[in-house]
Amino acid sequence: MPRSLRVVLAEDGVLLREGLIGLLARFGHEVVAAVGDAEALRAAVAAHDPDVVVTDVRMPPGFRDEGLRAAVALRADRPGLPVLVLSQYVQRDYAADLLDSGDGTGVGYLLKDRVGQVAEFVDALDRVAAGGTVVDPEVVRQLLRRRRDPLAALTPREREVLGLVAEGHSNGEVARRLVVTEAAVGKHIGNILAKLDLPPAEDTHRRVLAVLAYLQA
């Protein structure tokens, strides 16, 4: 039978937080602290030295990824601290950082939908606390997509254009080499930037990012 765990819970939604406290108590676990923001999470871990942390991703003050960043920081300070992160959606960058933290054990990343599957959620918590790694299938899918060849979506012509840009050629020189109009080259480059999902920025900066993606691939 799984051992009773001392849990620090971080969730800003009062109803979900209270529901998780009751759920964990039903399975013999003690929530030693239940907090609603990342700063309080760090303080609670320092004060209670729990067996496992359960935290939401989005928390005050910014409601972005404060909980996930706190989890990564806690794992950096305490590599053996088991952490189970719950999220409405996948934060790919920090998910990768979380799963790489410590030695990659005692960590979990689940979508909140799994909480409704009570036995599955509690089993995941027990496995993380015991040093296991639990990753939601959707998180795995997103991380694998993140690590794919970033140029996979480009057409052969777009790859050719990007290759010439990477060699330092201007749009006019690329047009002359490919025997197309400069307007056609500009359209190709626009498509390349869109397909590489580069953020809106000054055009020269975006070209540099595209070249870096080409070189890394």
Coordinates of all heavy atoms in Angstrom, one line a residue, residues 81-151:
L81 N 13.8 16.8 -4.8 CA 12.4 17.1 -4.4 C 11.4 16.7 -5.5 O 11.5 17.2 -6.6 CB 12.2 18.7 -4.2 CG 10.8 19.2 -3.9 CD1 10.4 18.7 -2.5 CD2 10.8 20.7 -4.0
P82 N 10.5 15.8 -5.2 CA 9.5 15.3 -6.2 C 8.5 16.4 -6.5 O 8.0 17.1 -5.5 CB 8.8 14.1 -5.5 CG 9.8 13.7 -4.5 CD 10.4 14.9 -4.0
V83 N 8.2 16.7 -7.7 CA 7.3 17.8 -8.1 C 6.3 17.2 -9.2 O 6.8 16.7 -10.2 CB 8.0 19.0 -8.6 CG1 7.0 20.0 -9.2 CG2 8.9 19.6 -7.6
L84 N 5.0 17.4 -9.0 CA 4.0 17.1 -10.0 C 3.4 18.4 -10.4 O 2.7 19.1 -9.6 CB 3.0 16.1 -9.4 CG 1.8 15.8 -10.3 CD1 2.3 15.1 -11.6 CD2 0.8 14.8 -9.6
V85 N 3.5 18.7 -11.7 CA 2.9 20.0 -12.2 C 1.6 19.7 -12.9 O 1.5 18.7 -13.7 CB 3.9 20.6 -13.2 CG1 3.2 21.8 -13.9 CG2 5.1 21.2 -12.4
L86 N 0.6 20.5 -12.6 CA -0.7 20.4 -13.3 C -0.9 21.6 -14.2 O -0.6 22.7 -13.8 CB -1.8 20.3 -12.3 CG -1.7 19.2 -11.2 CD1 -2.9 19.3 -10.2 CD2 -1.8 17.8 -11.9
S87 N -1.5 21.4 -15.4 CA -1.6 22.5 -16.3 C -2.9 22.4 -17.1 O -3.3 21.2 -17.4 CB -0.4 22.6 -17.2 OG -0.6 23.7 -18.1
Q88 N -3.5 23.5 -17.5 CA -4.6 23.5 -18.5 C -4.1 23.2 -19.9 O -4.8 22.7 -20.7 CB -5.3 24.9 -18.5 CG -6.1 25.2 -17.2 CD -7.4 24.4 -17.2 OE1 -7.5 23.4 -16.4 NE2 -8.3 24.7 -18.0
Y89 N -2.8 23.5 -20.1 CA -2.3 23.3 -21.5 C -0.8 23.1 -21.3 O -0.2 23.2 -20.2 CB -2.5 24.5 -22.4 CG -1.9 25.8 -21.8 CD1 -0.7 26.2 -22.3 CD2 -2.6 26.5 -20.8 CE1 -0.1 27.4 -21.8 CE2 -2.0 27.7 -20.3 CZ -0.8 28.1 -20.8 OH -0.3 29.2 -20.3
V90 N -0.1 22.8 -22.4 CA 1.3 22.5 -22.4 C 2.2 23.7 -22.5 O 2.1 24.4 -23.5 CB 1.7 21.4 -23.5 CG1 3.2 21.1 -23.4 CG2 0.9 20.2 -23.3
Q91 N 3.0 24.0 -21.5 CA 4.0 25.0 -21.7 C 5.3 24.3 -22.1 O 6.1 23.8 -21.3 CB 4.3 25.7 -20.3 CG 3.2 26.7 -20.0 CD 3.4 28.1 -20.5 OE1 4.4 28.3 -21.3 NE2 2.6 29.1 -20.2
R92 N 5.6 24.3 -23.4 CA 6.6 23.4 -23.9 C 8.0 23.7 -23.4 O 8.8 22.8 -23.0 CB 6.6 23.3 -25.4 CG 5.4 22.6 -25.9 CD 5.4 22.5 -27.5 NE 5.3 23.8 -28.1 CZ 5.4 24.1 -29.4 NH1 5.7 23.1 -30.2 NH2 5.2 25.3 -29.9
D93 N 8.4 25.0 -23.4 CA 9.8 25.3 -23.0 C 10.1 24.9 -21.6 O 11.1 24.3 -21.3 CB 10.0 26.8 -23.2 CG 10.1 27.2 -24.7 OD1 10.3 26.3 -25.5 OD2 9.8 28.3 -25.0
Y94 N 9.2 25.4 -20.6 CA 9.4 25.1 -19.2 C 9.2 23.6 -18.9 O 9.7 23.0 -18.0 CB 8.6 26.0 -18.3 CG 9.3 27.3 -18.1 CD1 8.8 28.5 -18.7 CD2 10.4 27.4 -17.4 CE1 9.4 29.7 -18.5 CE2 11.1 28.6 -17.2 CZ 10.6 29.8 -17.7 OH 11.2 31.0 -17.6
A95 N 8.3 22.9 -19.7 CA 8.1 21.5 -19.5 C 9.4 20.8 -19.7 O 9.8 19.9 -19.0 CB 7.0 21.0 -20.4
A96 N 10.1 21.1 -20.8 CA 11.4 20.5 -21.1 C 12.4 20.8 -20.0 O 13.1 19.9 -19.5 CB 11.9 21.0 -22.4
D97 N 12.4 22.0 -19.5 CA 13.3 22.4 -18.4 C 13.0 21.6 -17.1 O 13.8 21.1 -16.4 CB 13.2 23.9 -18.1 CG 13.9 24.7 -19.1 OD1 14.6 24.2 -19.9 OD2 13.6 25.9 -19.2
L98 N 11.7 21.5 -16.8 CA 11.2 20.7 -15.7 C 11.7 19.2 -15.8 O 12.2 18.7 -14.8 CB 9.7 20.8 -15.5 CG 9.1 20.0 -14.4 CD1 9.5 20.6 -13.0 CD2 7.6 19.9 -14.5
L99 N 11.4 18.6 -16.9 CA 11.7 17.2 -17.1 C 13.2 17.0 -17.1 O 13.7 15.8 -16.8 CB 11.1 16.7 -18.3 CG 9.5 16.7 -18.3 CD1 9.0 16.3 -19.7 CD2 9.0 15.8 -17.2
D100 N 14.0 18.0 -17.4 CA 15.5 17.9 -17.4 C 16.1 18.2 -16.0 O 17.3 18.0 -15.8 CB 16.1 18.8 -18.4 CG 15.9 18.3 -19.9 OD1 15.6 17.1 -20.0 OD2 16.0 19.1 -20.8
S101 N 15.3 18.7 -15.1 CA 15.8 19.2 -13.8 C 16.2 18.0 -12.9 O 15.7 16.9 -13.1 CB 14.7 20.0 -13.1 OG 13.6 19.3 -12.8
G102 N 17.1 18.3 -12.0 CA 17.6 17.2 -11.2 C 18.3 16.2 -12.0 O 19.0 16.4 -12.9
D103 N 17.9 14.9 -11.8 CA 18.4 13.9 -12.7 C 17.3 13.3 -13.5 O 17.4 12.2 -14.0 CB 19.1 12.8 -11.8 CG 18.1 12.1 -10.8 OD1 17.0 12.6 -10.7 OD2 18.5 11.2 -10.1
G104 N 16.2 14.1 -13.6 CA 15.1 13.6 -14.4 C 14.1 12.7 -13.7 O 13.2 12.2 -14.4
T105 N 14.3 12.4 -12.5 CA 13.5 11.5 -11.7 C 12.6 12.3 -10.7 O 13.0 13.4 -10.4 CB 14.3 10.4 -11.0 OG1 15.1 11.0 -10.0 CG2 15.1 9.6 -12.0
G106 N 11.6 11.7 -10.2 CA 10.7 12.3 -9.2 C 10.1 13.6 -9.8 O 10.0 14.6 -9.1
V107 N 9.6 13.5 -11.0 CA 9.0 14.6 -11.6 C 7.8 14.2 -12.5 O 7.8 13.1 -13.1 CB 10.0 15.4 -12.5 CG1 10.5 14.6 -13.6 CG2 9.5 16.7 -12.9
G108 N 6.7 15.0 -12.5 CA 5.6 14.7 -13.4 C 5.0 16.0 -14.0 O 5.1 17.1 -13.4
Y109 N 4.3 15.8 -15.1 CA 3.7 16.9 -15.8 C 2.4 16.4 -16.3 O 2.4 15.6 -17.3 CB 4.6 17.5 -16.9 CG 4.1 18.8 -17.4 CD1 5.0 19.9 -17.3 CD2 2.9 19.0 -18.1 CE1 4.6 21.2 -17.8 CE2 2.5 20.2 -18.6 CZ 3.4 21.3 -18.5 OH 3.0 22.5 -18.9
L110 N 1.3 16.8 -15.7 CA -0.1 16.3 -16.2 C -1.0 17.4 -16.5 O -0.9 18.5 -15.9 CB -0.7 15.5 -15.0 CG -0.1 14.1 -14.6 CD1 -0.9 13.6 -13.5 CD2 0.0 13.2 -15.7
L111 N -1.8 17.2 -17.5 CA -2.9 18.2 -17.8 C -4.0 18.0 -16.7 O -4.2 16.9 -16.2 CB -3.5 17.9 -19.2 CG -2.5 18.1 -20.3 CD1 -3.1 17.9 -21.6 CD2 -1.8 19.5 -20.2
K112 N -4.7 19.1 -16.4 CA -5.6 19.1 -15.3 C -6.8 18.1 -15.5 O -7.5 17.7 -14.6 CB -6.1 20.5 -15.0 CG -5.2 21.4 -14.3 CD -5.8 22.7 -13.9 CE -4.8 23.5 -13.1 NZ -5.4 24.8 -12.7
D113 N -7.0 17.8 -16.8 CA -8.1 16.8 -17.1 C -7.9 15.5 -16.3 O -8.8 14.8 -16.0 CB -8.2 16.6 -18.6 CG -8.7 17.8 -19.3 OD1 -9.2 18.7 -18.7 OD2 -8.6 17.8 -20.6
R114 N -6.6 15.2 -16.1 CA -6.3 13.9 -15.4 C -6.8 13.9 -14.0 O -6.9 12.8 -13.4 CB -4.8 13.6 -15.5 CG -4.2 13.7 -16.8 CD -4.7 12.7 -17.8 NE -4.2 12.9 -19.2 CZ -4.7 12.4 -20.3 NH1 -5.7 11.6 -20.2 NH2 -4.1 12.7 -21.4
V115 N -6.9 15.0 -13.4 CA -7.4 15.1 -12.0 C -8.7 14.4 -11.8 O -9.0 13.7 -10.8 CB -7.4 16.5 -11.4 CG1 -7.9 16.5 -10.0 CG2 -6.0 17.1 -11.5
G116 N -9.6 14.6 -12.8 CA -10.9 13.9 -12.8 C -10.8 12.4 -12.9 O -11.8 11.7 -12.5
Q117 N -9.7 11.9 -13.4 CA -9.5 10.4 -13.4 C -8.8 10.1 -12.1 O -7.5 10.0 -12.1 CB -8.8 10.0 -14.6 CG -9.5 10.4 -15.9 CD -8.6 10.3 -17.1 OE1 -7.7 9.5 -17.2 NE2 -9.0 11.0 -18.2
V118 N -9.5 10.0 -11.0 CA -8.9 10.1 -9.6 C -7.9 9.0 -9.4 O -6.8 9.3 -9.0 CB -10.1 9.9 -8.6 CG1 -9.5 9.8 -7.2 CG2 -11.0 11.0 -8.7
A119 N -8.1 7.8 -9.8 CA -7.2 6.7 -9.5 C -5.9 7.0 -10.3 O -4.8 6.8 -9.8 CB -7.8 5.3 -9.9
E120 N -6.0 7.4 -11.6 CA -4.8 7.7 -12.4 C -4.0 8.9 -11.8 O -2.8 8.8 -11.7 CB -5.3 8.1 -13.8 CG -4.2 8.4 -14.8 CD -4.7 8.7 -16.2 OE1 -5.8 8.3 -16.5 OE2 -3.9 9.3 -16.9
F121 N -4.7 9.9 -11.3 CA -4.0 11.1 -10.7 C -3.3 10.6 -9.4 O -2.1 11.0 -9.3 CB -5.0 12.2 -10.4 CG -4.5 13.2 -9.5 CD1 -3.5 14.1 -10.0 CD2 -4.9 13.4 -8.2 CE1 -2.9 15.1 -9.2 CE2 -4.4 14.4 -7.4 CZ -3.4 15.2 -7.9
V122 N -3.9 9.9 -8.5 CA -3.3 9.5 -7.3 C -2.1 8.6 -7.5 O -1.1 8.7 -6.9 CB -4.3 8.9 -6.3 CG1 -3.6 8.4 -5.1 CG2 -5.4 9.9 -5.9
D123 N -2.3 7.7 -8.5 CA -1.2 6.8 -8.9 C 0.0 7.6 -9.4 O 1.2 7.3 -9.0 CB -1.7 5.8 -9.9 CG -0.5 4.9 -10.4 OD1 0.0 4.1 -9.6 OD2 -0.1 4.9 -11.6
A124 N -0.3 8.6 -10.2 CA 0.8 9.5 -10.7 C 1.5 10.1 -9.6 O 2.8 10.2 -9.6 CB 0.3 10.5 -11.7
L125 N 0.8 10.7 -8.6 CA 1.4 11.3 -7.5 C 2.3 10.4 -6.7 O 3.4 10.7 -6.3 CB 0.3 11.9 -6.5 CG 0.8 12.6 -5.3 CD1 1.5 13.9 -5.7 CD2 -0.4 12.9 -4.3
D126 N 1.8 9.2 -6.4 CA 2.6 8.1 -5.7 C 3.9 7.8 -6.4 O 4.9 7.7 -5.8 CB 1.7 6.9 -5.5 CG 0.6 7.1 -4.5 OD1 0.7 8.0 -3.7 OD2 -0.4 6.3 -4.6
R127 N 3.8 7.7 -7.8 CA 5.0 7.3 -8.5 C 6.0 8.4 -8.5 O 7.2 8.2 -8.4 CB 4.5 6.9 -10.0 CG 3.9 5.5 -10.1 CD 3.8 5.1 -11.5 NE 2.6 5.8 -12.1 CZ 2.5 6.1 -13.4 NH1 3.6 5.8 -14.2 NH2 1.5 6.7 -13.9
V128 N 5.5 9.7 -8.7 CA 6.5 10.8 -8.6 C 7.1 10.9 -7.3 O 8.4 11.1 -7.2 CB 5.7 12.1 -9.0 CG1 6.6 13.3 -8.6 CG2 5.3 12.2 -10.4
A129 N 6.4 10.7 -6.2 CA 6.9 10.8 -4.9 C 7.9 9.7 -4.6 O 8.9 9.9 -3.8 CB 5.8 10.7 -3.8
A130 N 7.8 8.6 -5.3 CA 8.7 7.4 -5.2 C 9.9 7.6 -6.1 O 10.7 6.7 -6.1 CB 8.0 6.1 -5.4
G131 N 10.0 8.7 -6.8 CA 11.2 8.9 -7.7 C 10.9 8.6 -9.1 O 11.8 8.7 -10.0
G132 N 9.7 8.3 -9.5 CA 9.3 8.0 -10.9 C 9.1 9.2 -11.7 O 9.1 10.4 -11.2
T133 N 9.0 9.1 -13.0 CA 8.7 10.2 -13.9 C 7.4 9.9 -14.6 O 7.2 8.8 -15.2 CB 9.8 10.3 -15.0 OG1 11.0 10.5 -14.3 CG2 9.5 11.5 -15.9
V134 N 6.5 10.8 -14.5 CA 5.1 10.7 -15.1 C 4.9 11.9 -16.1 O 4.9 13.0 -15.6 CB 4.0 10.6 -14.1 CG1 2.7 10.5 -14.7 CG2 4.3 9.5 -13.1
V135 N 4.6 11.6 -17.3 CA 4.4 12.7 -18.3 C 3.1 12.4 -19.0 O 2.9 11.3 -19.6 CB 5.5 12.8 -19.3 CG1 5.3 14.0 -20.2 CG2 6.9 12.9 -18.6
D136 N 2.2 13.4 -19.1 CA 0.9 13.3 -19.8 C 1.2 13.0 -21.3 O 2.1 13.6 -21.9 CB 0.2 14.6 -19.7 CG -1.3 14.4 -20.1 OD1 -1.5 14.3 -21.3 OD2 -2.1 14.5 -19.2
P137 N 0.5 12.1 -21.9 CA 0.7 11.7 -23.3 C 0.7 13.0 -24.2 O 1.4 13.0 -25.2 CB -0.4 10.8 -23.6 CG -0.8 10.1 -22.3 CD -0.6 11.2 -21.3
E138 N -0.2 13.9 -23.9 CA -0.3 15.2 -24.7 C 1.0 16.0 -24.6 O 1.5 16.6 -25.5 CB -1.5 16.0 -24.3 CG -1.6 17.3 -25.1 CD -1.8 17.2 -26.6 OE1 -2.1 16.0 -27.0 OE2 -1.6 18.2 -27.3
V139 N 1.6 16.0 -23.4 CA 2.9 16.7 -23.2 C 4.0 16.0 -24.0 O 4.8 16.7 -24.7 CB 3.3 16.7 -21.7 CG1 4.6 17.3 -21.5 CG2 2.2 17.4 -20.9
V140 N 4.0 14.7 -24.0 CA 5.0 14.0 -24.8 C 4.8 14.4 -26.3 O 5.8 14.6 -27.0 CB 4.8 12.5 -24.7 CG1 5.7 11.7 -25.6 CG2 5.1 12.0 -23.2
R141 N 3.6 14.4 -26.8 CA 3.3 14.7 -28.2 C 3.8 16.1 -28.5 O 4.5 16.3 -29.6 CB 1.8 14.6 -28.5 CG 1.5 14.7 -30.0 CD 0.0 14.7 -30.2 NE -0.7 15.8 -29.7 CZ -0.8 17.0 -30.4 NH1 -0.2 17.1 -31.6 NH2 -1.4 18.0 -29.9
Q142 N 3.6 17.1 -27.7 CA 4.0 18.4 -27.9 C 5.5 18.6 -27.9 O 6.1 19.3 -28.7 CB 3.4 19.4 -26.9 CG 1.8 19.5 -27.0 CD 1.4 20.7 -27.7 OE1 2.2 21.5 -28.2 NE2 0.1 20.9 -27.8
L143 N 6.1 17.9 -26.9 CA 7.6 18.0 -26.9 C 8.3 17.3 -28.1 O 9.3 17.8 -28.6 CB 8.1 17.4 -25.6 CG 7.7 18.1 -24.3 CD1 8.3 17.3 -23.1 CD2 8.3 19.5 -24.3
L144 N 7.7 16.2 -28.5 CA 8.3 15.6 -29.7 C 8.1 16.5 -30.9 O 9.0 16.6 -31.8 CB 7.6 14.3 -30.0 CG 8.0 13.1 -29.0 CD1 7.1 11.9 -29.3 CD2 9.4 12.8 -29.1
R145 N 7.0 17.2 -31.0 CA 6.7 18.1 -32.1 C 7.7 19.3 -32.1 O 8.2 19.7 -33.1 CB 5.3 18.6 -32.1 CG 5.0 19.5 -33.3 CD 3.5 19.8 -33.4 NE 3.1 20.7 -32.4 CZ 1.8 21.1 -32.1 NH1 0.9 20.6 -32.9 NH2 1.6 22.0 -31.2
R146 N 8.0 19.7 -30.8 CA 9.0 20.8 -30.7 C 10.4 20.4 -31.2 O 11.1 21.3 -31.6 CB 9.0 21.2 -29.2 CG 10.1 22.2 -28.8 CD 9.9 22.4 -27.3 NE 10.9 23.4 -26.8 CZ 12.1 23.1 -26.3 NH1 12.4 21.8 -26.2 NH2 12.9 24.0 -25.9
R147 N 10.7 19.1 -31.0 CA 12.1 18.7 -31.4 C 12.2 18.3 -32.8 O 13.2 17.8 -33.2 CB 12.5 17.6 -30.4 CG 12.8 18.2 -29.0 CD 13.1 17.1 -28.0 NE 13.4 17.8 -26.7 CZ 13.1 17.3 -25.5 NH1 12.5 16.1 -25.5 NH2 13.5 17.9 -24.4
R148 N 11.1 18.3 -33.6 CA 11.2 18.0 -35.0 C 12.1 19.0 -35.8 O 12.3 20.1 -35.3 CB 9.8 17.9 -35.6 CG 9.0 16.8 -35.2 CD 7.6 16.9 -35.8 NE 6.7 15.9 -35.3 CZ 5.4 16.0 -35.4 NH1 4.8 17.0 -36.0 NH2 4.6 15.1 -34.8
D149 N 12.5 18.6 -37.0 CA 13.2 19.4 -37.9 C 12.4 20.7 -38.1 O 11.3 20.6 -38.6 CB 13.5 18.7 -39.2 CG 14.2 19.6 -40.2 OD1 14.5 20.7 -39.9 OD2 14.4 19.1 -41.3
P150 N 12.9 21.9 -37.7 CA 12.1 23.1 -37.9 C 11.9 23.5 -39.3 O 11.0 24.3 -39.6 CB 12.9 24.2 -37.2 CG 14.3 23.6 -37.2 CD 14.2 22.1 -37.0
L151 N 12.6 22.9 -40.2 CA 12.5 23.2 -41.6 C 11.6 22.2 -42.4 O 11.4 22.3 -43.6 CB 13.9 23.2 -42.3 CG 15.0 24.0 -41.7 CD1 16.2 24.0 -42.5 CD2 14.5 25.5 -41.4

